[in-house]
Amino acid sequence: MTNPNNATISTVHTAEFTSGHALQIPTLRILQDDGTIYPGAVAPELDKETALKMYHSMSFIRVLDERMLAAQRQGRISFYMQCLGEEAATVGSAAALDDKDMIMAQYREQGALRYRGFSLEQFMNQLFSNEKDLGKGRQMPVHYGSKDIYYMTISSPLGTQIPQAAGYAYAQKLRGLANVTICYFGEGAASEGDFHAGLNMAAVHKAPVLFFCRNNGYAISTPANEQFKGDGIACRAVGYGMKAIRVDGADILAVYQATKMAREYALETNEPVLLESIAYRLGAHSSSDDPSGYRSKEEEEQWRKNDPISRFRLWLLAKGWLDDEADKAQIEALRAEILDALKVAEKVAKPGIEHLISDVYAEPIPELERQLAELKAHIRKYPDAYPITSGRMS
């Protein structure tokens, strides 16, 4: 008999509910807070060079976040978002990928960008929206993107990258590429309709995409228990016929192993995987947010003990791969380097206004040229309202 309903029919003769919490997904943990491996756990195979690259990428982002939030408070940049407490989730997952796997991020994955090789200068140029910015000054700060390192430009609307990732991964499969797409988003974005459409599309069309949910407890000010009733996000994969794995997002070894396993499965089967990182957003949602209005200092301090960088650092020290004094000196040098780069980038001129339309099409169409001319006329009429732009018009 055919099965047009695509549903398993296991007959019963007495009505009964299936519990909404019938499925509970375990959380993978390998690295303990003291830097030792859990009894019975096996650390993934990592060479010294890769492990140190992961550590230095996390350390770089921690210092960059610290410095650039201060710069925003000083009025030097308009906006900033930290990934404080989630460095292991983004760096560990990026380290498990191939360099040509596409990354589609939300807005807290600068660790993955750094691991791919985004330079300090490139970070600064984007944050200051100057004429060296790869996005030509058309994006908010932290909305990074780089074609050269397969990092799709970030957009502000939540969840739009999820169906896009399904489509991109499907194209990778059709082209016969030995690559996957990884799509990052928060548990708040998993409440968007794009989440359900994207996952269903990927599952039905067998697209090799890794959906990586960073469940950090809050969608801006909305706690997870006010966002959804189910057991986190990973359990939703079952509803789409997908594989799922949940991981301690502050444990970089666990994140690396889970992502590596998920990537191998996606390539072998051309099927998607949903990964859920359980961590905590130690900082505010953004520089525009005050978390004291919705969570306590005691809660934050409790989670601060679960610092992903400290945990990995202890593991590296125990293996003899990291020198304590040299590492501390390197962090101090990095602080000075970032401050120097900031001072340079903020003095670089802003992009010319013609870049608003320069690559919407291969050649600007007449309608865009007309609109640009009207904009220039408006700015010339009110130059005091546009002090920077009015001095950069040709």
Side-chain angles (χ1 to χ4, degrees):
M1 181 182 293
T2 60
N3 184 10
N5 306 101
N6 195 25
T8 300
I9 307 300
S10 179
T11 305
V12 297
H13 302 291
T14 302
E16 60 183 42
F17 288 115
T18 296
S19 168
H21 293 278
L23 176 65
Q24 293 186 344
I25 297 179
T27 301
L28 175 65
R29 286 185 174 142
I30 296 175
L31 193 57
Q32 300 188 82
D33 289 348
D34 63 1
T36 60
I37 302 298
Y38 276 97
V42 178
E45 292 184 9
L46 269 180
D47 58 74
K48 179 180 178 180
E49 182 181 2
T50 302
L52 288 177
K53 182 179 178 181
M54 293 162 69
Y55 175 73
H56 291 313
S57 295
M58 288 200 294
S59 299
F60 173 90
I61 292 301
R62 178 68 62 90
V63 178
L64 180 74
D65 280 356
E66 171 191 285
R67 181 59 262 171
M68 297 317 296
L69 182 62
Q72 190 280 332
R73 296 297 190 239
Q74 294 166 351
R76 298 165 88 168
I77 61 174
S78 61
F79 180 79
Y80 196 73
M81 300 184 82
Q82 298 179 306
C83 69
L84 193 65
E86 296 186 80
E87 296 93 345
T90 57
V91 173
S93 53
L97 303 174
D98 180 80
D99 288 343
K100 292 186 178 180
D101 289 340
M102 176 56 72
I103 293 177
M104 292 194 179
Q106 187 163 303
Y107 43 54
R108 215 180 296 278
E109 288 79 31
Q110 49 263 50
L113 189 64
R114 178 60 178 180
Y115 188 85
R116 279 280 173 94
F118 210 62
S119 70
L120 172 57
E121 182 182 11
Q122 287 175 314
F123 273 105
M124 288 298 172
N125 291 336
Q126 197 285 326
L127 293 168
F128 282 97
S129 296
N130 62 35
E131 64 182 4
K132 293 183 178 180
D133 169 26
L134 296 179
K136 302 179 181 178
R138 294 175 299 201
Q139 287 277 5
M140 290 174 61
V142 309
H143 287 47
Y144 309 106
S146 174
K147 182 179 180 180
D148 291 342
I149 56 176
Y150 294 83
Y151 194 99
M152 188 71 71
T153 302
I154 296 166
S155 58
S156 286
L158 282 182
T160 55
Q161 75 276 20
I162 300 175
Q164 291 168 0
Y168 194 96
Y170 184 59
Q172 288 173 313
K173 181 181 78 169
L174 294 180
R175 293 175 63 191
L177 301 178
N179 291 105
V180 303
T181 293
I182 189 168
C183 178
Y184 294 98
F185 52 91
E187 88 289 340
S191 297
E192 296 285 334
D194 282 344
F195 169 85
H196 304 284
L199 266 68
N200 192 55
M201 175 184 172
V204 170
H205 293 287
K206 295 173 69 73
V209 54
L210 311 183
F211 294 107
F212 194 101
C213 177
R214 293 181 297 92
N215 184 345
N216 62 22
Y218 292 90
I220 308 183
S221 60
T222 306
N225 62 5
E226 294 181 17
Q227 297 176 52
F228 51 84
K229 188 69 174 175
D231 179 26
I233 304 300
C235 65
R236 300 184 191 180
V238 177
Y240 296 107
M242 292 170 51
K243 298 285 188 184
I245 186 167
R246 177 178 288 159
V247 63
D248 179 354
D251 179 350
I252 196 167
L253 297 184
V255 172
Y256 175 84
Q257 185 178 82
T259 309
K260 192 171 186 295
M261 184 173 72
R263 182 182 186 276
E264 290 171 354
Y265 176 83
L267 278 180
E268 289 171 3
T269 64
N270 278 319
E271 292 185 12
V273 179
L274 175 59
L275 300 97
E276 181 181 16
S277 160
I278 302 295
Y280 188 83
R281 191 195 76 215
L282 286 173
H285 171 74
S286 73
S287 55
S288 302
D289 175 44
D290 178 9
S292 66
Y294 54 86
R295 67 188 193 190
S296 67
K297 290 292 183 184
E298 290 76 20
E299 178 181 304
E300 292 178 7
E301 288 305 315
Q302 176 188 352
W303 281 92
R304 203 171 297 278
K305 299 172 185 176
N306 197 34
D307 181 38
I309 297 180
S310 174
R311 195 188 304 191
F312 191 44
R313 185 177 188 274
L314 290 172
W315 184 77
L316 291 170
L317 287 170
K319 289 184 72 67
W321 287 358
L322 190 68
D323 179 80
D324 185 37
E325 292 304 317
D327 178 52
K328 291 177 181 177
Q330 187 174 22
I331 296 296
E332 288 306 311
L334 182 57
R335 287 195 172 97
E337 186 182 353
I338 288 175
L339 183 57
D340 289 344
L342 184 156
K343 292 176 180 177
V344 170
E346 68 181 345
K347 294 177 182 177
V348 176
K350 301 300 182 184
I353 197 170
E354 65 277 1
H355 287 302
L356 281 172
I357 68 167
S358 61
D359 54 9
V360 177
Y361 297 93
E363 296 292 336
I365 61 174
E367 179 62 15
L368 286 177
E369 290 180 332
R370 181 189 65 77
Q371 292 174 3
L372 181 62
E374 287 184 357
L375 178 59
K376 287 183 175 181
H378 173 80
I379 293 172
R380 289 192 181 99
K381 186 176 181 179
Y382 305 101
D384 293 342
Y386 306 93
I388 296 176
T389 306
S390 59
R392 291 283 297 160
M393 289 198 306
S394 55

